[in-house]
Amino acid sequence: MAENEKKVESKAAETDKAKKAKEKKPNIFVRAWRRITKWCREMKSELKKVQWPTRKQTVNNTIIVIVCVLVVGVFIWIFDALAVAVVKALINLFS
């Protein structure tokens, strides 16, 4: 009889463990929502650590970028014009 009681107790313990395990693990939507909110909180805390540039620094850097783009554009335009002239000269020479 003691063996039957142990079996019943062990089955009851297993069902309790299964219920607890099921209760501990929320569904996929709850887990996803928790991950999203955790990510948002971490992102907010990281953004507080960022040293944002001043308006003057931003304007200065923007002007530098625009000037560099224009200079590189002019160099590419000159190279393209020279390449076109060389190709035309070669075509005229061999035709």
Side-chain angles (χ1 to χ4, degrees), residues 15-25:
T15 57
D16 288 341
K17 287 180 184 178
K19 286 179 184 177
K20 287 180 183 178
K22 205 172 196 181
E23 289 174 1
K24 286 182 183 179
K25 189 174 182 181

Side-chain angles (χ1 to χ4, degrees), residues 10-11 22 25 27 36-38 41 43 45 53-57 60 65 70 74 77 81-82 87-88 91:
S10 65
K11 286 183 181 180
K22 205 172 196 181
K25 189 174 182 181
N27 67 25
I36 291 169
T37 55
K38 180 182 175 187
R41 273 187 267 120
M43 181 183 64
S45 68
T54 62
R55 182 172 178 85
K56 185 177 178 181
Q57 290 172 330
N60 189 30
V65 168
L70 290 174
V74 168
W77 181 43
L82 289 173
V87 169
K88 283 183 179 180
I91 290 174

Side-chain angles (χ1 to χ4, degrees), residues 20-35:
K20 287 180 183 178
K22 205 172 196 181
E23 289 174 1
K24 286 182 183 179
K25 189 174 182 181
N27 67 25
I28 190 166
F29 298 110
V30 173
R31 287 183 290 169
W33 180 252
R34 287 179 184 167
R35 282 188 292 198

Side-chain angles (χ1 to χ4, degrees), residues 84-95:
V84 168
V86 168
V87 169
K88 283 183 179 180
L90 287 173
I91 290 174
N92 288 336
L93 183 67
F94 292 112
S95 61

Side-chain angles (χ1 to χ4, degrees), residues 53-68:
T54 62
R55 182 172 178 85
K56 185 177 178 181
Q57 290 172 330
T58 304
V59 170
N60 189 30
N61 290 344
T62 303
I63 291 171
I64 290 171
V65 168
I66 290 171
V67 168
C68 289

